[in-house]
Amino acid sequence: MSNSTTHSKPWLTPRQQVEHLKGKGVRFSLFSKADAESYLARNNNFFRLRSYRTSFPKVDEGARAGEYANLDFGMLVDLSIVDMLLRYEMLPMTLDIEHFSKVKLLGRLEEFGEDGYAIVADYLAKQNKSGHDSLEDNLTIREIKKGESSPYIASLLRKYPNYDYPVWVFLELVSFGTFVHFLKHCSEALSDKRMKDDFYLLQSVKSLRNACAHNNCILNDLSSGEPMYKVNNRVSQALGAIGGIGEDMRKSKMRNDRIQQVTTTLYLHSRVASSGVRSHRAKSLAAFKVRMNKNVDYYEGNFQVLSCFDFFGRVMDAWFSTDNDSVDLEGR
């Protein structure tokens, strides 16, 4: 299909993409131009790969003004690989957190003497559209009913035609986002401040999980700015106890939403996951850290990349040591 409209960003062939990067000052020492063309044709797309350039400074003046000061195509490739592997670490960790957070919630509800039905019925009633009493018009019920054709939960749904779900069933039917919202409802119904705090932590984890599930890049924006949310006090205090992470580094890194969400996920996993699961993740994170630092010499003089790698490494070492298992601070 052709389109006569003139666009400001024309489609470039791999060869043209390489020439475009060269014109911006990108070198091809670690990767030859021919290898770069092949890589762009078969391994990655130009738009994603070039997005990692934002962590590299440009020349301010002189003949090369506006070009990247020290950026090789191989650095873009390396960052994209580290980013991919980071997503592969974070996604299963968010699944672990969801599981253990549900277990934790069920335990708390039992402690409060809940029967498991009333708290769900109250939540669903509050989700009805304004002016409607029927659960058929309920936003959460409509979400759940989408699973009627699912081979995983269809049989479970048939057991509850009137939507009178006990909480242990309800948690198996809803999305992570709905679970987080339900947790907030429970915290308010039970006046549980700690549970409310968990809700805010889980919002950050949910955002990272969505990014990983949609294969969004994480490490293509490492700059410190104005985050959407203030870092959780529990996370901030835990970071303050890590050797080598001073106040300036902590504040700087937590002003980046992406780094803040990764850190929050690492923190919450280290607190709620079982010792066996945490030990398994610790070994995987250790392998990731080795790969992250494999080509660290590429980035000599690049504070943004080096400080990010150093920060992640220190956090992983402190909260996921492979030598010994830290004690669960918030219950199993």
Side-chain angles (χ1 to χ4, degrees):
M1 180 183 296
S2 62
N3 191 329
S4 59
T5 303
T6 300
H7 296 288
S8 60
K9 300 290 185 180
W11 190 301
L12 301 178
T13 66
R15 177 166 295 181
Q16 290 171 327
Q17 291 166 7
V18 167
E19 291 303 317
H20 175 81
L21 290 172
K22 184 179 178 182
K24 296 293 184 179
V26 177
R27 303 191 311 271
F28 292 86
S29 300
L30 302 172
F31 250 74
S32 70
K33 290 172 64 175
D35 288 341
E37 288 180 26
S38 178
Y39 182 86
L40 288 167
R42 296 177 173 83
N43 295 81
N44 210 335
N45 73 67
F46 179 60
F47 178 76
R48 286 178 67 91
L49 192 70
R50 71 190 288 268
S51 70
Y52 296 98
R53 75 196 187 285
T54 58
S55 294
F56 296 85
K58 292 183 177 181
V59 178
D60 292 327
E61 54 187 23
R64 294 189 62 224
E67 295 183 359
Y68 290 99
N70 181 29
L71 175 56
D72 191 280
F73 185 83
M75 299 176 188
L76 298 176
V77 173
D78 185 64
L79 278 178
S80 72
I81 293 172
V82 172
D83 199 358
M84 174 191 70
L85 295 175
L86 179 62
R87 293 193 299 275
Y88 289 175
E89 293 298 318
M90 291 298 107
L91 184 55
M93 291 186 80
T94 64
L95 295 175
D96 293 341
I97 290 171
E98 178 184 8
H99 168 74
F100 287 104
S101 295
K102 288 178 178 179
V103 172
K104 184 178 179 181
L105 174 59
L106 291 175
R108 291 293 288 151
L109 292 175
E110 183 179 356
E111 290 175 12
F112 275 96
E114 289 289 326
D115 67 359
Y117 288 83
I119 194 79
V120 175
D122 183 49
Y123 175 77
L124 292 177
K126 291 182 178 180
Q127 300 309 304
N128 277 1
K129 290 183 178 180
S130 178
H132 292 267
D133 294 326
S134 173
L135 284 179
E136 293 291 342
D137 295 313
N138 187 286
L139 294 176
T140 303
I141 291 297
R142 286 166 59 184
E143 174 195 317
I144 292 173
K145 284 173 68 68
K146 292 179 181 179
E148 289 178 339
S149 60
S150 168
Y152 306 103
I153 64 172
S155 60
L156 190 58
L157 288 175
R158 287 193 292 269
K159 295 180 180 179
Y160 299 91
N162 298 318
Y163 318 120
D164 55 338
Y165 309 114
V167 65
W168 52 89
V169 170
F170 179 72
L171 295 184
E172 296 298 316
L173 302 177
V174 297
S175 66
F176 190 14
T178 298
F179 161 64
V180 174
H181 193 258
F182 177 67
L183 180 67
K184 181 172 183 267
H185 167 78
C186 293
S187 72
E188 294 170 347
L190 303 173
S191 299
D192 191 319
K193 293 182 179 180
R194 188 72 167 186
M195 194 182 293
K196 184 72 169 286
D197 199 42
D198 286 343
F199 158 73
Y200 289 115
L201 287 168
L202 284 168
Q203 279 190 308
S204 188
V205 173
K206 177 175 71 71
S207 181
L208 180 62
R209 169 171 154 161
N210 290 343
C212 292
H214 289 93
N215 209 29
N216 297 143
C217 299
I218 298 174
L219 300 180
N220 60 347
D221 183 2
L222 301 177
S223 60
S224 178
E226 292 297 327
M228 293 179 63
Y229 302 103
K230 182 181 178 182
V231 62
N232 183 276
N233 285 334
R234 285 154 61 186
V235 176
S236 184
Q237 290 172 6
L239 286 174
I242 299 176
I245 296 182
E247 184 178 3
D248 289 343
M249 175 183 276
R250 172 173 56 82
K251 289 183 176 180
S252 174
K253 297 311 175 190
M254 292 302 95
R255 284 199 291 263
N256 180 291
D257 285 312
R258 299 158 186 241
I259 298 176
Q260 184 186 131
Q261 289 178 6
V262 171
T263 305
T264 300
T265 297
L266 291 169
Y267 168 82
L268 196 54
H269 190 285
S270 71
R271 267 55 180 182
V272 303
S274 68
S275 59
V277 169
R278 193 168 59 246
S279 177
H280 174 73
R281 297 298 176 213
K283 295 173 184 176
S284 185
L285 287 171
F288 165 77
K289 183 186 171 188
V290 169
R291 176 56 187 88
M292 177 177 69
N293 291 316
K294 176 182 177 182
N295 299 315
V296 72
D297 57 305
Y298 287 179
Y299 311 105
E300 183 177 354
N302 188 319
F303 176 78
Q304 209 169 82
V305 174
L306 291 178
S307 65
C308 178
F309 283 11
D310 180 56
F311 177 80
F312 280 153
R314 291 180 185 277
V315 170
M316 291 172 185
D317 285 346
W319 296 344
F320 291 88
S321 172
T322 55
D323 297 327
N324 54 70
D325 233 349
S326 60
V327 177
D328 265 330
L329 299 182
E330 301 174 19
R332 292 174 173 82

